[in-house]
Amino acid sequence: MDSRNTVERAQRLKQLHAGFKPLVLPTVWDVWSARTAAGAGFPALTIGSHPLADSRGAEDQEGQTFEEVLAAVRPIIAAVDVPVSVDLEAGYGQKPADLIAGLTEVGGVGLNIEDTVHSEGGRVRTTQEHASYIAGLRAAADDAGIPVWINGRTDLFLHAENASDVLDEAIERLRAMEEAGADSVYPVRIQDNDELLTAVTGAVGVPVNSTAHPVKHDLERFRRLGVGRITYGPLLQLALTDAMKDMLRPWAP
């Protein structure tokens, strides 16, 4: 993709985050789903690692190499005229500069980066380690002259037996990601907890991303709780899977 077009898409994605409260980015996984979501009127999209892996018969949690992911997302990004962010899991063992270079070369203008390092036994990065990685991404994007939108994810709530017990630690981590240059932060697995969502949205100055189900959740509720950005993770693909089964089942032998 032409570098000027990539810069323009990145600038557009930043403007969209400022203009929508929350900005909903449907999570897509192939050219068909991307074109369908863009055709429904959404001004930006995100490619999810889980649905992308499922669509390719691969495993989530870095079951594909960085090169395989780039090859898969290139035609998706090229198929639409809207900014596209890409879930890059924990970075596939890449240095921040290499991650940014690969992403922007295929036209991606945003990324999701998590703190569970699947290639190293599923360990969770420390707060400082994850913040340092994000700072490296921010510096690399700045050096490239492309305002890549960095969505910093933490899995602390996901791994905790009781999510409320790690709230203080999670807020510390979210703030560290913000200070390191994350444009938004993503505390996974609290989308159904009003109290925790309110706590994290009130603790940081950047948009908080929440997972949502396109049928079961209420957009106005997320807006009321201060959520600034919504993605579907694997839930849109799962909802379509359920709908497809319902349509097909009466015709099954």
Side-chain angles (χ1 to χ4, degrees):
M1 181 173 292
D2 181 87
S3 61
R4 287 178 298 179
N5 193 9
T6 302
V7 171
E8 290 171 359
R9 287 193 181 194
Q11 292 171 337
R12 177 61 179 153
L13 185 58
K14 184 175 182 178
Q15 292 167 354
L16 289 168
H17 279 91
F20 288 86
K21 308 284 184 190
L23 175 65
V24 180
L25 294 91
T27 305
V28 300
W29 54 90
D30 60 10
V31 168
W32 168 80
S33 58
R35 285 178 171 166
T36 300
F42 288 92
L45 308 172
T46 185
I47 298 172
S49 66
H50 191 161
L52 180 70
D54 275 359
S55 74
R56 292 167 52 77
E59 294 294 325
D60 189 28
Q61 301 181 347
E62 300 194 356
Q64 301 178 86
T65 66
F66 184 44
E67 290 73 22
E68 288 171 335
V69 169
L70 292 181
V73 303
R74 182 190 293 271
I76 303 173
I77 294 169
V80 293
D81 293 325
V82 300
V84 179
S85 180
V86 182
D87 180 358
L88 295 179
E89 304 198 66
Y92 306 98
Q94 302 292 311
K95 295 179 180 179
D98 294 332
L99 206 70
I100 291 294
L103 172 71
T104 55
E105 195 276 328
V106 298
V109 295
L111 63 89
N112 185 77
I113 192 76
E114 66 191 59
D115 53 8
T116 301
V117 188
H118 304 290
S119 62
E120 298 177 18
R123 75 174 185 87
V124 178
R125 291 183 177 124
T126 66
T127 293
Q128 185 55 53
E129 182 186 10
H130 197 46
S132 295
Y133 195 87
I134 287 173
L137 294 171
R138 179 82 283 146
D142 290 345
D143 288 344
I146 302 173
V148 173
W149 187 275
I150 299 173
N151 188 42
R153 167 175 156 169
T154 180
D155 292 343
L156 288 181
F157 292 116
L158 172 66
H159 295 308
E161 290 187 13
N162 185 341
S164 298
D165 291 344
V166 298
L167 176 60
D168 290 343
E169 182 182 0
I171 286 176
E172 178 186 0
R173 183 162 298 205
L174 296 173
R175 287 173 172 166
M177 289 191 284
E178 178 183 2
E179 292 174 4
D183 299 289
S184 57
V185 292
Y186 187 10
V188 172
R189 197 60 70 84
I190 61 170
Q191 63 265 22
D192 294 313
N193 190 313
D194 288 17
E195 183 177 347
L196 292 180
L197 275 175
T198 300
V200 298
T201 58
V204 295
V206 294
V208 171
N209 190 116
S210 178
T211 309
H213 190 286
V215 178
K216 298 177 181 179
H217 281 131
D218 175 30
L219 179 60
E220 287 305 315
R221 168 180 166 268
F222 286 115
R223 182 176 289 118
R224 185 175 67 253
L225 294 174
V227 171
R229 168 180 157 129
I230 289 174
T231 51
Y232 295 136
L235 299 183
L236 172 60
Q237 190 182 60
L238 290 173
L240 290 174
T241 300
D242 291 340
M244 184 174 177
K245 287 179 179 178
D246 289 343
M247 285 187 286
L248 293 177
R249 194 170 286 114
W251 294 71

